[in-house]
Amino acid sequence: MRVPAVAVRAASLLGALLGWHLLTSANVRLWVRFDRFPGPLEVAREFGRQLQAGQFYADVAQSVVRILTGFALAAVLGIALGVAVARSRWAGNVLQPLFEVARPIPAIALVPVAILLFPANEQGIVFITFVAAFFPVLVSTRHAVRALPGVWEDAVRTLGGGRARVLAQVVLPGVLPGVFGGLSVGMGVAWICVISAEMISGDFGAGYRTWQAYTIVDYPGVLVGMITIGLLGWLTSGAVELVGRRLTRWRTS
Amino acid sequence: MSDAANGTVTGTAGAVSLRAEGVTLGHDGAAPVVTGLDLTVRAGEVLAVAGPSGCGKSTLLRALAGLLPVRAGRITADGAPITGPSADRALVFQDDALLPWRTARRNVELPLAIRGVPRARRRERAERWLARVGLADAAGRLPRELSGGMRQRVQLARALAGEPRAVLMDEPFGALDAQTRRAMQHLLVEVLADAPATVVFVTHDVDEALLVGDRVVVLGPSGVAAEVLPDPAAPAGAQRAEILAALGARPGPRPAVKEPV
């Protein structure tokens, strides 16, 4: 008998919840200690309480706006500059060294830079989110452009197409499968960085609220924050995957 | 830079004559593939170019298309130097040259879209071309949903839909099985009969060259090694043997020239 994939996936999540419940309700202390760790029921109650209040939605909305703004900027600039660097020797020579120097710097280490550069916290957090998502998109676009079969471009050029045609009809559609890999990674890194940035310098947002709960020793609140972040991250990555699959249905495999 | 930029020359102006004079070709830094080649393609003829792999026949085709600059000599179309690719000279590739995200019909529409033909007209014309190559029912399919032979039919339709003055074909049936190949050769002869274009057809299959070409030239290391005018009345195998001799191969039971590794 074949078990449907959805059932297995649901069972996996439920199993983890059950394990968590057993470990905490039995107050297990085996080097790692679960005796003071909040259990899933306690966290669920706290979750329910937060869902009644407006603060939770305001925080989630704030984080989502930051993520989507930073991610959208990273997608547009990452794809545009990735194409430019791969297709123009001049753009490559000018930009590539800057990118290579900036790329190893963890986006979260840019917090001091963001504080110096931007008048408001909000812009700084979006900037950090943008930087985090930008490099995966840039690098995957650059590789995808270089991997494009030359024959498509040759075909369009011998049918009378110029530079703009080649860009619009060959390069942009052709790099999509590779670009979506980068967008997927970028979305994941963007969440890590938006949450960290909120913890360091935010006034609102899921990351800020989670840290806030920790400072007042509200452990169930911390876990509610973490679970919220996890679910939001899953949702947004899933959306990227879905759009990516829709747009690259022409692929052979 | 594109000599078809005005978009009105195609179709009405008819076939173009192509001429290579003392042409040396090859990629920068590498040894030239073709040296001092002289070749004339008359307006409206189907010239089959045969030769072993590495003789530079594909390189020559890319140069005629304007995709590869000459290192010496000059290439002209009706006397005007070829400086870049143009809708006047469509190139048909061996395989996988269709844009995989476009359906068969939208691939055929491409040259018409580039020329600015309105949507409804280009759709209608693309469908007519697809019907012409026997693919009326496959218009909505993506390239991956088509067989190799069908994809080459779409490529042919796409090249001809732009009403180019020359069609340059680079071993277009080289990736097909023998039976499909034969069907495609006959289809090509039939379709080209009413297309007012000059055709340069590169192949390493001697029988294919004799079937498709009005004239066959064999490309060797020092330019054109032989020229044959296919004549159905000629004694069976005589012309094939002549070409094979020029190729430096022994006439065997297999019609195709063996590819050196």
Side-chain angles (χ1 to χ4, degrees), chain B residues 114-250:
Chain B
I114 289 172
R115 222 200 295 161
V117 176
R119 186 177 291 268
R121 291 239 352 249
R122 70 183 188 231
R123 188 187 169 119
E124 178 241 323
R125 276 165 71 180
E127 275 167 1
R128 228 173 37 220
W129 270 108
L130 283 171
R132 186 79 186 78
V133 297
L135 287 182
D137 297 335
R141 290 207 234 157
L142 289 170
R144 70 173 160 92
E145 298 164 323
L146 302 170
S147 70
M150 290 162 99
R151 285 202 294 271
Q152 291 313 85
R153 285 168 196 250
V154 178
Q155 259 211 77
L156 183 62
R158 182 174 73 175
L160 292 172
E163 292 173 5
R165 304 179 61 201
V167 183
L168 311 170
M169 308 186 83
D170 190 3
E171 304 212 27
F173 312 139
L176 304 178
D177 63 81
Q179 199 182 341
T180 313
R181 205 178 159 107
R182 211 138 36 234
M184 287 299 295
Q185 289 160 357
H186 288 289
L187 174 74
L188 179 69
V189 171
E190 189 191 311
V191 171
L192 289 180
D194 21 279
T198 307
V199 178
V200 182
F201 186 96
V202 158
T203 179
H204 65 262
D205 179 336
V206 174
D207 289 335
E208 183 168 270
L210 285 168
L211 176 72
V212 172
D214 298 329
R215 186 159 69 100
V216 179
V217 296
V218 179
L219 220 54
S222 47
V224 176
E227 183 178 324
V228 173
L229 296 176
D231 177 8
Q239 294 197 312
R240 202 177 105 198
E242 189 182 339
I243 294 174
L244 286 170
L247 285 168
R250 213 173 297 162

Side-chain angles (χ1 to χ4, degrees), chain A residues 148-149 151-162 165 169-171 173-175 247 249-253, chain B residues 1 62 65 67 85-87 89-91 93 95-102 110-111 113-114 142 144 158-159:
Chain A
L148 274 181
V151 68
W152 294 339
E153 181 171 348
D154 289 346
V156 170
R157 291 177 71 205
T158 56
L159 293 170
R165 262 308 151 177
Q169 313 286 359
V170 176
V171 178
V175 297
L247 290 180
R249 259 192 287 210
W250 50 268
R251 280 207 291 174
T252 343
S253 50
Chain B
M1 67 176 259
R62 289 180 66 79
L67 291 170
S86 139
R89 298 179 305 277
L91 193 48
F93 305 81
D95 197 12
D96 291 329
L98 297 176
L99 300 182
W101 49 86
R102 286 178 163 246
L110 194 60
I114 289 172
L142 289 170
R144 70 173 160 92
R158 182 174 73 175

Side-chain angles (χ1 to χ4, degrees), chain A residues 147-216:
Chain A
L148 274 181
V151 68
W152 294 339
E153 181 171 348
D154 289 346
V156 170
R157 291 177 71 205
T158 56
L159 293 170
R163 233 180 138 90
R165 262 308 151 177
V166 169
L167 264 185
Q169 313 286 359
V170 176
V171 178
L172 290 180
V175 297
L176 276 186
V179 166
F180 267 94
L183 287 174
S184 225
V185 175
M187 182 57 95
V189 190
W191 271 108
I192 294 170
C193 288
V194 79
I195 296 299
S196 317
E198 284 176 354
M199 286 182 167
I200 295 171
S201 71
D203 310 317
F204 286 109
Y208 170 77
R209 200 58 57 196
T210 306
W211 193 254
Q212 186 67 16
Y214 167 67
T215 58
I216 57 168

Side-chain angles (χ1 to χ4, degrees), chain A:
Chain A
M1 192 190 81
R2 278 181 66 87
V3 184
V6 185
V8 179
R9 287 165 192 216
S12 161
L13 284 174
L14 285 173
L17 280 175
L18 183 66
W20 175 18
H21 175 70
L22 292 175
L23 287 169
T24 48
S25 60
N27 291 327
V28 170
R29 294 190 63 151
L30 294 160
W31 190 61
V32 280
R33 298 162 304 174
F34 289 96
D35 52 340
R36 288 189 306 154
F37 201 95
L41 297 174
E42 200 182 335
V43 172
R45 265 195 303 279
E46 173 64 17
F47 219 139
R49 202 188 57 72
Q50 287 202 16
L51 287 177
Q52 311 283 310
Q55 187 62 58
F56 175 82
Y57 301 99
D59 283 328
V60 166
Q62 189 75 49
S63 292
V64 168
V65 166
R66 286 166 176 163
I67 271 282
L68 293 185
T69 317
F71 182 76
L73 285 172
V76 171
L77 286 175
I79 294 172
L81 293 175
V83 169
V85 165
R87 287 189 59 90
S88 149
R89 185 171 307 180
W90 189 82
N93 286 339
V94 171
L95 297 173
Q96 197 59 25
L98 302 175
F99 291 155
E100 289 309 321
V101 168
R103 188 150 69 102
I105 305 170
I108 201 63
L110 294 177
V111 167
V113 175
I115 288 170
L116 286 176
L117 280 180
F118 294 100
N121 256 352
E122 194 56 35
Q123 295 144 10
I125 294 174
V126 169
F127 168 72
I128 285 164
T129 313
F130 155 74
V131 172
F134 173 73
F135 285 107
V137 179
L138 175 87
V139 172
S140 62
T141 304
R142 203 178 69 204
H143 284 292
V145 172
R146 298 221 169 117
L148 274 181
V151 68
W152 294 339
E153 181 171 348
D154 289 346
V156 170
R157 291 177 71 205
T158 56
L159 293 170
R163 233 180 138 90
R165 262 308 151 177
V166 169
L167 264 185
Q169 313 286 359
V170 176
V171 178
L172 290 180
V175 297
L176 276 186
V179 166
F180 267 94
L183 287 174
S184 225
V185 175
M187 182 57 95
V189 190
W191 271 108
I192 294 170
C193 288
V194 79
I195 296 299
S196 317
E198 284 176 354
M199 286 182 167
I200 295 171
S201 71
D203 310 317
F204 286 109
Y208 170 77
R209 200 58 57 196
T210 306
W211 193 254
Q212 186 67 16
Y214 167 67
T215 58
I216 57 168
V217 209
D218 169 16
Y219 288 115
V222 170
L223 283 156
V224 167
M226 289 168 59
I227 291 169
T228 307
I229 294 162
L231 292 176
L232 288 174
W234 189 14
L235 199 72
T236 46
S237 311
V240 172
E241 290 275 318
L242 193 73
V243 174
R245 238 176 296 156
R246 277 284 156 94
L247 290 180
T248 58
R249 259 192 287 210
W250 50 268
R251 280 207 291 174
T252 343
S253 50

